[in-house]
Each structure stands twice: as structure tokens, then as C-alpha cells.
Amino acid sequence: MASNLLTESPIIQFTILLTVIFTVPPIFERLRLPGLVGLLVAGIVLGPNGLKLLNSDSETVSLLSDIGKVYLMFVAGLEIDLKQFYKTKNRSIVFGILTFLVPFIAGIFVGQLFNFGWNASILIGSLLASHTLLAYPIVSRLGVVMNEAVTVTVGATIFTDTAALLVLAICVGIHGGEFSPMSLASLLGGLAFYSLIVLFGFDWAGKEFFRRSGDEQSNQFLFILLALFLASVGAQIVGVEKIVGAFLAGLAVNDVVGRSPVKEKIEFIGSVLFIPCFFVDMGLLINIPAFIKTLSSISLTVVIVAALVLSKFIAAFLAKLIYRYNNPQMLTMWSLSLPQVAATLAAALVAYQSLNPAGERLISESVLNSVIVLMVVTSIMGPLITARFAALLQMHQTDLETENFSTTWWESYDGQPPERTQDTFTVAVPIYNPQTQRYLIEMAALIAQHQSGRILPLAITKAHVHMDDPQLAISLKQSQQRLKMAEEISQEFNVQVSTAIRIDDDIALAISRTSREQNASLIVMGWSRTTGLRARLFGNVIDSVFWSSHCPVAVTRLISSPKTIARIIVPIGDLRPQTISAWRFAEMLADVNKAEVVLLHVFNYKTPSHLVEQFTTQLSEIVAKSKLQVNTNIQIIRDDDVAKTIVRQAQAFDLAVLRSVRYRTTGGLAVSEVTTQVIEELTGSIVLLGEAHL
């Protein structure tokens, strides 16, 4: 009776799923294994071949897994950077064709070699042809996302995933009924018509809705979810698999959501709940005896993995020959196109569950098991190779960007100051907490003093329905008291000060809008340690200001007065303009305080010595071009743990200036960030500098 209760109660099954999602991935990540592998293993352990606590046929698991499957493909389409694709679209299309066709042909050959039918062989080819940008966070951290090898590979994802899903739709359609040229033409015609409606119709509808809805993020979030499931239902109506519709919906609303907070909420919901449920369900479907049998006759698995690895390498090598890429670029393209996770697993499950009238599956259990092994191997192998060779790209990219670094830090990256720099340099300072506002005002005053500018203390009062509400009057009086204190502190620095009170429903937008109205050059904010579930799901003020502001944002956590800062450390992960901006900020503060600045770069032990010297030379050249006479030193350390090295070195400094970096995660897979770890472990004063539209 108790066993039946566990397997049949939706609430208990959901509780078990949440427990698995919460506990298992972190354990596997500590073991240096992908968290997804842990979810698969958990599915096996808790499934029919293990403890029998979860069943893939239960309504709860089936529903959440189905949602996770379409959500996975939706996020895959949503996260493709269309702007990068347009920059190198011709080369992206060529590499997309190469990295699709070569594995596609290799997969067909494997299917025929093991006596599968032509339909199944073509489907295997399509499974190998797509790829997941699992290692994108690595190239983001290394600062090489603008290298052509990376942008071309990112753009190629659009072609490979779309083509692979179209092949899947055709193969499933053929497998499900009697095949005829007329039925194929009807399927392709319906698919083409449906694709146009989704790609152009949803894009137009999304832009119109977002324009009319203004700041209503909850309704925008619901609109995107509705678009996802309408597209999935529409795909089934025209006779193709729903994951095709989900992927097309992701592409359609891609530029609608942009990098808005709504996009983060969409990805968050998928990454913490629905997508993990899909991977747990994949584990439930694994038949242990059959899986062991597949591995005992390991030839199919080995050949599929080898075919994928070799064919993706050949595609990257051909791209190298055509466009004369160097070896690090070729190997980076190869490693980025290796991981087979999102489209591959979703398509494999669809093919496995696809039955013809005779009850036969499109692909066998042995193929499904081989694809799971392929996922594990490539999800480990791809990022490791990327980390090794993408680091070499850094040296080919940066000699390129040093010319414009002699500009002041708030200027645009082409060296031309925006219109706002023609006005008085203005530092906007949102204040709320009287206990911390002194250090905030001091920091802003020091920067404004250096630039002969002014500061704008800003108090935000939460709006009420009635403007004569007594509580509103109390809040306004408190705001006036805080602003008076800010004026008194500012007088100590002999800087011009203008105060402002804003009544608004949205604190973040009030800050951004007032800063824009006052042509602020910089926003200085206090640090919040809000990192709980609510902050991640609904966003917080800092995230929203980062996204909506027109100028750089400096988020500060100050342990002591900025006037006492004598030593400043700035971790330099790459030489992109955004990173150098963090140094420019530290340099201005050091110039006022006559402080020392140390630029810290951490190389891993595998980096060749000549590349370390090359990076050091380039960084020294940038420092030499500075217009300020600041004592700046460069410190190079070799260590594989970047975050811990930064924390260890920063203990001896009064202030650490960090750059805020946001990483895209394909398929909603969470990837740890060096900056996040440093912030959590560092106990001293911190400035986190974020560029506009980060």
C-alpha cells in the first residue's frame, strides 16, 4: 500500500523530483561531472530498475517531462545570439552546412553499417548533426566571444538545430504512416507555412505586445509562455513533433525579449524545474539490463561516438581550409560543436517513442542508450577542449582592441564619447539606508571630484494609490532627511550636489529614468546580498538597473571609508573594453587618493609561457597609454582555481574592483561564475562595475 502511494500520488512524486533536482546536481558538479549526468543517474536509481519510487508513465512525471522537453528546445532557440549571427551570417551558414552535412552523412553510414533501415539511418544522421553550445560560458569567461571562430560557430547552431529538427519531423512523419511523395509534399508544405507563421507572426505579435504592455513583466512572461505552448500545439496540428514548434518559437521571440529581465525569468523557470525533470525522465527510461547489454556489445556505441567526434573535426578542418583559420580557431570551433545535449536528447527521445502502425519504434533501445553515452562523453569532452584551446584565441584577438583604450573609461568602445559627456560629469547615487549612505556619497564624491563633476543623490519613495496617504507623507519626509545628510557629506568634498526625490512604483526604473533625465555618467549603488529564490526568480533592483540603465553602474560594498583606500586590486580576465573599464574606474579612484593599483591576471598551468609573456606585454602597453599618473603594477599568477586565487590575493588590498559578467547557458544549464564565487568569499570592500545593457 505504501509503495502504491509513493508511485501514484502526484504530490509525493513531485516532492521526490524537487528533492532530486535540489540535491543531486551539486554533488556531481563537486565530482567534476555535469549535473545532468547526476539527474540521469538519479532517474535510473529511482526508476523501475531501481527503487521504483518514480515511474515515467505517471501523469506527474510525464507532464513535467513533456514541458521540460519543449522548454529545452525553446531555450535553445531563445539563447541563439541573432546579432552575432548577422555579423558573420555567410560564414556561419557555410560552417553550419559543413557541421551538419558531414556528421549527417557519417550517421547515415553508421546506420547502414549496423543494418538499420534508411529512415532510421537518416534519423541517426540528424541526431549527430546538431550541437549544443554547452561550453559558451567558457569562451565568455575567457573574453573571446567576439572572435570570429566563436561567432561563426554560434551562428551555425541556428542552421544545424533547425535542419536536424526538420529531418526529425520528416522521419517521424514517414514512420507514422504510409509514405508517398504526395504525403511528403503535404508535410513539407504544411511545415513551411507553419514555420512562416511562427517566425514572423509571433515576432510581430511579441513586439506589439511588449510595446503596449510597458513594464508589466508578469504579463510579458505569460505571453512568452503562451507563445511557446501555442507553437508546440501548432506543430502537432500540422503533423510534426512539438519540439520543432518550441525551437521555432524560441527563434521567433528571440529579439523580442532580448536581454530583458523577462528572459532571465523564463530561463530560470526552465533551468530549476522543467528541464531537470526531463533529464530525470530520461534516466527512468533507461533499461539497465538493456543498457548493460548495449555496453557489452559496445561496437555501436563506440562507432557512434567516434563518428560524431571525427565528423565534427572534419567539418571544422574544412572551415579552416576555406577561411584560413588558425589551429586554435579550428579546435575551438570543433570543441564548441561537439556537445550533444539539447536537440540531440530531445530528438532521440521523440524518435524512440515514435511508433508505426505495427508498433515498431523509429530507433531501437540500443541507439537511445548510445545517444545517452554520447551525451555524457561529449558534454565532458567538449568543454575541456574548449577551455584548453579557446584560451589561445585570446592572444589572437586582443592586439586588435588596444588602440582605443587610451580613452576615458565611460566613453564608448570606438573611442567617441557619447553626447552625455559634453555635459557636466554626473554621478547618480540612489540612497536608502542612512547607515551605509555616507560611504556611498563619499565614493561618488571622489569620482565626481576627479572629473570636476557633480553628484546627484536620489531618494526613491514607493508610490501609493492616493497621493495624500499619510504613509507616503512619512516616506517623503524620511527621504528629505536622507538627502539633507547627503548634501552635508558632499560639502566635505567641495563638489557640486543636486538632490532629487522620485515617487515611483518601480524602484529600478525610477533610478534608471532619473539618471537618464539628468544625463548621468555613472550610477553608484549600494550592495545587496539578496540571492535567495525570490531574488533569482523575480529579479532585484540591481539586476534591473544593470539591464535598463543608459550608463555604467558601480555596485559597491564598502567596509571602510573610500577616502582611506590605498591599495586597489583589479582582476583582469581578458583585454576586452568592458574589462579595461573596470581598471579605468579604479585608476580614477586611485588618482584622487594617491593609491596603488594592481592588475591581477591568473593563468592556468597549461598556458604556454610565450602566451603569458604576450598577454603581459599587451597589458603593459595599455597601461602605458594611460593619461593618469597612477602607480599601476601588473601581477601574473599561475593557478587553475581562478576564483580562490583572486580571493587570496585580494585580502591584502583595501578594495577589489570587479567586472559584472553574465553568462548565457544553453538549455538552461547553470554554470558557476568566477565573479560570483569571488563576491561570496571576499570579505573586504568591493566595487562591481557593470556596463549598460549587460
Side-chain angles (χ1 to χ4, degrees):
M1 181 68 69
S3 176
N4 289 338
L5 180 64
L6 287 175
T7 57
E8 294 177 6
S9 171
I11 295 297
I12 292 179
Q13 293 226 327
F14 186 65
T15 304
I16 294 173
L17 283 171
L18 287 181
T19 304
V20 168
I21 295 167
F22 178 73
T23 59
V24 173
I27 295 173
F28 273 71
E29 287 167 5
R30 285 182 177 274
L31 299 175
R32 305 281 182 173
L33 292 172
L36 298 181
V37 177
L39 294 173
L40 286 170
V41 172
I44 295 171
V45 172
L46 299 175
N49 296 287
L51 300 177
K52 297 182 173 60
L53 295 180
L54 292 176
N55 191 333
S56 183
D57 295 329
S58 74
E59 292 184 4
T60 304
V61 175
S62 179
L63 173 62
L64 292 174
S65 176
D66 267 359
I67 295 175
K69 184 167 59 179
V70 297
Y71 218 107
L72 182 67
M73 294 312 303
F74 176 69
V75 173
L78 192 66
E79 290 191 337
I80 291 175
D81 196 326
L82 295 178
K83 290 182 180 178
Q84 287 192 24
F85 172 72
Y86 290 135
K87 290 178 183 177
T88 56
K89 61 181 178 181
N90 293 332
R91 295 193 173 193
S92 291
I93 291 173
V94 171
F95 180 61
I97 292 173
L98 289 174
T99 198
F100 175 84
L101 279 182
V102 178
F104 182 64
I105 294 171
I108 294 175
F109 176 77
V110 170
Q112 291 296 293
L113 181 66
F114 286 88
N115 299 317
F116 292 107
W118 276 105
N119 199 29
S121 298
I122 292 173
L123 192 281
I124 293 172
S126 74
L127 293 178
L128 302 188
S130 64
H131 63 261
T132 302
L133 293 172
L134 198 63
Y136 190 93
I138 295 175
V139 295
S140 292
R141 190 189 72 229
L142 293 173
V144 294
V145 291
M146 299 310 294
N147 189 285
E148 187 175 299
V150 177
T151 57
V152 165
T153 308
V154 171
T157 309
I158 297 178
F159 184 89
T160 59
D161 285 6
T162 304
L165 290 174
L166 292 178
V167 172
L168 170 71
I170 294 171
C171 290
V172 171
I174 292 173
H175 185 71
E178 295 183 2
F179 169 72
S180 68
M182 185 60 69
S183 64
L184 178 60
S186 175
L187 176 64
L188 291 176
L191 184 58
F193 180 70
Y194 160 78
S195 299
L196 290 175
I197 291 177
V198 172
L199 291 175
F200 295 102
F202 282 32
D203 179 59
W204 173 82
K207 288 177 179 176
E208 283 296 308
F209 182 81
F210 271 55
R211 181 177 63 84
R212 295 173 186 273
S213 61
D215 304 327
E216 289 291 331
Q217 292 185 20
S218 57
N219 287 335
Q220 292 172 354
F221 177 79
L222 290 175
F223 175 87
I224 297 299
L225 282 187
L226 181 61
L228 161 61
F229 291 103
L230 279 177
S232 301
V233 172
Q236 292 178 294
I237 292 174
V238 298
V240 297
E241 178 52 40
K242 52 183 172 285
I243 62 172
V244 178
F247 180 74
L248 293 176
L251 288 178
V253 301
N254 192 304
D255 62 337
V256 175
V257 297
R259 297 181 179 180
S260 69
V262 175
K263 180 179 179 181
E264 295 182 4
K265 294 174 177 62
I266 293 167
E267 295 178 345
F268 174 78
I269 288 289
S271 64
V272 302
L273 180 59
F274 296 124
I275 294 173
C277 287
F278 166 71
F279 283 98
V280 173
D281 187 39
M282 287 289 295
L284 297 177
L285 291 174
I286 297 176
N287 186 323
I288 294 297
F291 192 78
I292 294 174
K293 184 179 179 181
T294 299
L295 295 182
S296 62
S297 55
I298 202 168
S299 55
L300 175 63
T301 303
V302 170
V303 171
I304 285 180
V305 173
L308 181 280
V309 172
L310 183 60
S311 61
K312 289 291 185 181
F313 180 84
I314 292 173
F317 182 74
L318 291 175
K320 173 192 174 182
L321 296 180
I322 296 172
Y323 296 116
R324 298 185 179 181
Y325 292 138
N326 53 43
N327 285 333
Q329 286 177 307
M330 178 198 71
L331 293 169
T332 300
M333 294 173 75
W334 172 51
S335 62
L336 283 174
S337 61
L338 265 183
Q340 305 290 300
V341 181
T344 306
L345 277 183
L349 184 60
V350 168
Y352 176 73
Q353 294 174 335
S354 176
L355 303 175
N356 64 9
E360 298 172 340
R361 298 185 185 277
L362 178 50
I363 60 172
S364 65
E365 196 169 34
S366 60
V367 174
L368 178 65
N369 292 336
S370 298
V371 168
I372 292 173
V373 174
L374 178 70
M375 183 276 289
V376 175
V377 172
T378 58
S379 65
I380 296 173
M381 182 178 176
L384 287 176
I385 298 174
T386 300
R388 172 68 180 87
F389 291 103
L392 307 184
L393 292 183
Q394 188 174 329
M395 306 306 164
H396 298 284
Q397 179 188 6
T398 51
D399 49 346
L400 3 149
E401 299 173 340
T402 58
E403 298 177 1
N404 297 320
F405 286 163
S406 60
T407 62
T408 44
W409 69 275
W410 68 89
E411 292 177 348
S412 60
Y413 299 147
D414 59 2
Q416 301 298 319
E419 292 182 4
R420 63 177 179 270
T421 61
Q422 297 173 3
D423 301 319
T424 302
F425 187 94
T426 301
V427 183
V429 193
I431 55 175
Y432 178 76
N433 188 347
Q435 295 179 346
T436 59
Q437 81 174 56
R438 165 168 280 277
Y439 290 167
L440 269 181
I441 297 296
E442 287 183 2
M443 174 68 76
L446 287 172
I447 298 297
Q449 187 182 68
H450 184 274
Q451 297 302 124
S452 301
R454 67 176 180 131
I455 65 172
L456 177 71
L458 171 63
I460 310 295
T461 299
K462 196 73 173 177
H464 289 253
V465 176
H466 302 290
M467 288 296 103
D468 61 351
D469 191 304
Q471 188 61 46
L472 179 59
I474 294 172
S475 298
L476 286 172
K477 185 176 180 180
Q478 292 173 342
S479 295
Q480 290 167 350
Q481 292 173 347
R482 289 194 291 268
L483 291 176
K484 184 178 179 181
M485 182 189 299
E487 286 182 308
E488 294 173 354
I489 298 171
S490 302
Q491 291 173 359
E492 301 174 13
F493 295 85
N494 293 321
V495 294
Q496 181 184 351
V497 58
S498 304
T499 60
I501 292 180
R502 182 81 176 236
I503 301 174
D504 207 309
D505 288 316
D506 191 308
I507 295 175
L509 289 179
I511 294 171
S512 299
R513 288 166 177 167
T514 306
S515 300
R516 174 70 272 191
E517 291 164 2
Q518 297 291 328
N519 283 331
S521 308
L522 172 69
I523 299 173
V524 175
M525 299 179 62
W527 177 257
S528 171
R529 283 187 171 274
T530 305
T531 56
L533 178 64
R534 180 176 175 81
R536 293 180 62 195
L537 180 57
F538 300 105
N540 55 38
V541 172
I542 292 174
D543 283 337
S544 298
V545 173
F546 269 148
W547 174 72
S548 60
S549 68
H550 74 291
C551 63
V553 181
V555 181
T556 65
R557 188 185 75 197
L558 301 173
I559 306 302
S560 58
S561 171
K563 296 185 294 184
T564 64
I565 293 173
R567 301 192 72 209
I568 304 173
I569 187 169
V570 185
I572 300 290
D574 54 64
L575 298 182
R576 282 190 290 175
Q578 299 96 321
T579 305
I580 299 303
S581 293
W583 166 52
R584 293 298 185 196
F585 178 90
E587 190 182 36
M588 285 199 301
L589 188 59
D591 191 39
V592 175
N593 281 358
K594 306 303 178 186
E596 174 194 11
V597 175
V598 172
L599 305 181
L600 172 66
H601 184 80
V602 183
F603 278 102
N604 62 45
Y605 288 111
K606 296 179 181 178
T607 305
S609 298
H610 73 277
L611 293 181
V612 176
E613 295 173 4
Q614 184 180 349
F615 182 91
T616 306
T617 301
Q618 291 177 336
L619 186 55
S620 300
E621 291 174 355
I622 296 173
V623 172
K625 292 180 180 180
S626 174
K627 300 174 182 178
L628 303 179
Q629 300 301 315
V630 174
N631 180 17
T632 302
N633 298 306
I634 297 172
Q635 184 176 3
I636 304 295
I637 295 179
R638 285 187 180 271
D639 201 302
D640 289 330
D641 196 327
V642 178
K644 288 194 178 299
T645 302
I646 294 173
V647 171
R648 186 171 61 249
Q649 295 298 318
Q651 300 299 337
F653 289 80
D654 302 313
L655 176 70
V657 178
L658 309 172
R659 174 187 156 224
S660 175
V661 181
R662 295 192 183 191
Y663 298 127
R664 295 188 320 165
T665 56
T666 301
L669 311 178
V671 179
S672 61
E673 306 171 19
V674 171
T675 303
T676 301
Q677 188 176 343
V678 171
I679 289 171
E680 290 176 350
E681 298 183 12
L682 198 59
T683 57
S685 294
I686 296 174
V687 170
L688 187 65
L689 190 69
E691 298 297 323
H693 304 298
L694 239 166

